[in-house]
Amino acid sequence: MNLQNIFSEIEKVDADVYDRLDTRRSAMKEFAKFTGKAALASMPLVLGSMFKKAYGQTPTDVLATLQFALTLEYLEGKFYQIGVAGPGVQANSGAAGLAALTKIRDHEAQHVAFLKSVISSLGATPTPEPKFDFTGGKGSNMGPFLGWEANYDVFLAMSQAFEDTGVRAYKGAAGTLINNKVVLTAALNIHSVEARHASHVRQMRRARGLATGSPAYVGDIKPWINLNESNIGAGFQAAVQPSYNGEELTVQNGINIAQVGGVSNVAASASFDEPLSRAAVLMIVDPFIVP
Amino acid sequence: MKKQISSPPLQDEQLISSFGIQRRNMLKFFGASAAVVALGSACNKNNDYVDPNTDKGVFLGAGDFQILNFAYALEQLEAAFYTQVVASAGFNSMSVLEKTYMMDIKDHEVSHREFFKAALGSNAIKGLTPNFAAVDFTSRGGILAQAKAFEDTGVSAYNGAGQYIVDVNYLLAAGKIVSVEARHAALIRDLISNGTFADDLDANALDISKPPTAIVDIANAFLTADSQISKRGLPA
């Protein structure tokens, strides 16, 4: 994409474009200022913010979705920041496990920074980071996941549930972004990274379950979600089940997938990940947020 | 940029004024539309114009059907690939778990293919004939290398095409599929080299999407001459 080209094309159809952006010179300067600190990949968003400045406001539902996504990324970011440094991961994850979890931790931190910069560039203030209670006790620090930092199996179970929930959350929110191509594409490009994380954490859980025989691991753990199975046990099943309810669908847009594909219901359900509404996701994360 | 935005006829302006919309705001509105068009045109400087009179490729159609057929073409390719994988010599050299994964993924891709076929109905493109001459099906490494290419391409294709979908239900369906492709992609990458599940991201840890025309170039390399996909009308 050639920036000069964009401006000259716009100039042809809208001679006032530089008035809208103050002047050509200041427009270019503003752009340079943005790109100075923003990574190349966020250039379309920087452009988007310039056009927003010139032509009007970003709809509130787009901003609301971005703030919602930011809250989820804060949750994941802090979870890995504390968890990866905690005694459970440090003593049990092994070199490859630690490297993978560190990588995921860094991705979530990058997503937080990216979403904050997008929200700021759209002229809004990023929602502040909440205080978290990762025991799931809503601030009591006595919730069902008590001791999670020290127990690697609990940590991995929570990691899987957070990643799978993140995938469902972005998917459920995509529709609200359908009229903003730039933000929609960015959200899709985060959505698939969350799915990559989920896939890897599920592989780690499969290996760990086989190695330890711990009751935290239930059934045939795959990189994808079979039916509505969490594959999480040891008393945590009930707490995580809302993240998996609804994943068992085998009919899509009125089409019976098992029938047309000639596959099992398990395969039909795993072939499609299901969305969660914002309200459902907020219910799931509510116990982890200190009110 | 051939399209000219001309001033609206006086009549319309009076009509708009009677609804209390200020001329200034109306101009803003037209200006904004023009900018969007111009932005598209500036990005598509090298767009692939295909003359419909000489086009011999498989035409994907228009609107949402075009994007659904685009996805249908990719899923045909992936399903054909894994169907061949599970009958190959290389498959036999895989571990029991890896074989299970390959069979599961084959079922997922067949499900995706049949979903699009049924959703498109009479608007569906024909069944495409793959050409996997360049693929090494005799070794585990050859299969996984090609699987990685297909899965990562699938993710970047869905992510890049999402913005062109108009019907929110189709956008959701594409979203339901792309995360499963991403789960596959991460697994295949880990089978090749553990820990590489998300190693080709951008500086913000986002996946890197590709425009539909770039994906068609990749797909056409694995399709026979009479199954080449046309880029006619496809976003670049």
Side-chain angles (χ1 to χ4, degrees):
Chain A
M1 191 193 302
N2 182 329
L3 192 62
Q4 293 290 347
N5 193 25
I6 291 170
F7 280 117
S8 60
E9 290 288 342
I10 294 171
E11 206 175 358
K12 279 183 211 161
V13 294
D14 179 13
D16 293 339
V17 62
Y18 298 120
D19 292 339
R20 301 179 199 283
L21 292 164
D22 305 327
T23 64
R24 182 189 181 97
R25 191 183 161 81
S26 80
M28 295 307 288
K29 225 165 78 185
E30 184 170 353
F31 188 79
K33 189 181 73 190
F34 265 125
T35 48
K37 46 189 177 183
L40 193 65
S42 65
M43 268 183 59
L45 290 151
V46 174
L47 271 178
S49 84
M50 289 180 63
F51 291 124
K52 190 231 61 161
K53 188 178 171 189
Y55 298 114
Q57 295 297 309
T58 300
T60 48
D61 57 343
V62 170
L63 278 169
T65 295
L66 287 167
Q67 301 281 24
F68 166 67
L70 176 58
T71 300
L72 294 183
E73 298 290 351
Y74 278 140
L75 173 89
E76 288 186 309
K78 187 63 87 181
F79 168 74
Y80 288 108
Q81 189 194 323
I82 299 172
V84 170
V89 169
Q90 291 293 324
N92 297 290
S93 61
L98 184 60
L101 293 168
T102 302
K103 183 179 290 185
I104 295 174
R105 178 199 69 190
D106 292 347
H107 289 167
E108 308 299 4
Q110 285 171 283
H111 292 167
V112 167
F114 175 73
L115 289 170
K116 283 169 87 169
S117 79
V118 172
I119 291 167
S120 297
S121 77
L122 293 174
T125 306
T127 189
E129 180 169 355
K131 284 197 175 8
F132 294 109
D133 171 5
F134 289 111
T135 72
K138 229 179 159 172
S140 71
N141 292 310
M142 292 292 285
F145 300 101
L146 181 65
W148 68 280
E149 313 100 302
N151 187 325
Y152 185 50
D153 299 313
V154 177
F155 170 87
L156 282 182
M158 293 172 74
S159 166
Q160 180 195 299
F162 283 147
E163 297 293 350
D164 284 334
T165 303
V167 173
R168 299 188 72 177
Y170 275 96
K171 202 187 316 294
T176 65
L177 305 175
I178 196 162
N179 291 318
N180 191 322
K181 295 175 183 307
V182 174
V183 175
L184 171 65
T185 303
L188 289 174
N189 282 328
I190 297 179
H191 169 244
S192 55
V193 172
E194 301 295 341
R196 289 175 186 271
H197 293 169
S199 174
H200 189 80
V201 171
R202 287 171 155 273
Q203 293 173 64
M204 290 174 73
R205 289 194 72 246
R206 182 185 183 95
R208 172 88 178 161
L210 286 172
T212 63
S214 156
Y217 306 89
V218 180
D220 193 14
I221 307 174
K222 295 281 178 74
W224 36 84
I225 303 168
N226 286 336
L227 301 171
N228 65 352
E229 294 167 5
S230 68
N231 304 115
I232 290 169
F236 299 107
Q237 196 270 345
V240 300
Q241 193 54 39
S243 294
Y244 295 93
N245 288 338
E247 280 285 1
E248 67 278 12
L249 281 194
T250 56
V251 175
Q252 301 291 341
N253 293 39
I255 298 159
N256 185 321
I257 299 301
Q259 211 166 60
V260 297
V263 300
S264 67
N265 276 334
V266 170
S269 75
S271 305
F272 292 77
D273 279 338
E274 299 302 323
L276 278 176
S277 69
R278 189 184 303 175
V281 173
L282 290 175
M283 291 266 282
I284 289 168
V285 300
D286 184 60
F288 299 100
I289 295 176
V290 179
Chain B
M1 193 72 217
K2 293 170 197 80
K3 199 171 168 185
Q4 291 295 326
I5 307 292
S6 54
S7 300
L10 189 62
Q11 205 183 324
D12 289 352
E13 193 166 345
Q14 284 166 335
L15 188 66
I16 289 169
S17 297
S18 74
F19 280 100
I21 300 169
Q22 288 173 2
R23 183 182 158 82
R24 167 98 185 128
N25 286 339
M26 194 181 65
L27 284 175
K28 260 191 192 168
F29 172 79
F30 277 100
S33 325
V36 170
V37 174
L39 186 58
S41 128
C43 292
N44 298 351
K45 201 180 168 193
N46 301 313
N47 70 339
D48 304 78
Y49 176 75
V50 180
D51 184 346
N53 298 313
T54 56
D55 183 15
K56 291 194 172 59
V58 177
F59 179 50
L60 297 178
D64 279 352
F65 289 137
Q66 178 189 49
I67 302 301
L68 294 183
N69 268 321
F70 168 75
Y72 178 40
L74 292 182
E75 297 294 352
Q76 286 194 47
L77 206 47
E78 286 192 301
F81 170 72
Y82 286 104
T83 300
Q84 200 159 328
V85 164
V86 300
S88 71
F91 177 76
N92 289 324
S93 67
M94 290 181 159
S95 74
V96 172
L97 179 60
E98 286 172 341
K99 284 181 183 169
T100 308
Y101 283 151
M102 293 300 125
M103 289 189 288
D104 283 359
I105 296 177
K106 185 206 77 171
D107 282 353
H108 300 167
E109 306 299 4
V110 168
S111 297
H112 296 164
R113 181 190 67 198
E114 295 305 312
F115 165 75
F116 283 114
K117 189 179 181 184
L120 281 156
S122 61
N123 294 292
I125 56 168
K126 67 175 182 176
L128 303 174
T129 310
N131 173 8
F132 292 136
V135 181
D136 171 18
F137 285 100
T138 66
S139 71
R140 173 186 178 276
I143 288 170
L144 292 179
Q146 191 55 51
K148 170 174 175 274
F150 278 143
E151 298 293 353
D152 279 340
T153 298
V155 173
S156 62
Y158 278 99
N159 284 352
Q163 61 176 302
Y164 301 110
I165 298 175
V166 174
D167 184 328
V168 75
N169 293 314
Y170 290 141
L171 176 62
L172 180 58
K176 290 178 177 206
I177 291 174
V178 66
S179 55
V180 175
E181 302 292 353
R183 290 173 188 273
H184 295 166
L187 168 65
I188 300 289
R189 285 172 157 269
D190 283 333
L191 293 179
I192 293 170
S193 175
N194 187 29
T196 60
F197 52 98
D199 271 10
D200 288 323
L201 309 182
D202 75 11
N204 295 311
L206 272 62
D207 256 315
I208 299 169
S209 49
K210 290 200 176 97
T213 50
I215 299 295
V216 166
D217 284 333
I218 296 170
N220 276 343
F222 297 98
L223 292 166
T224 58
D226 63 349
S227 288
Q228 293 289 300
I229 303 163
S230 168
K231 291 191 233 172
R232 175 149 55 109
L234 210 57

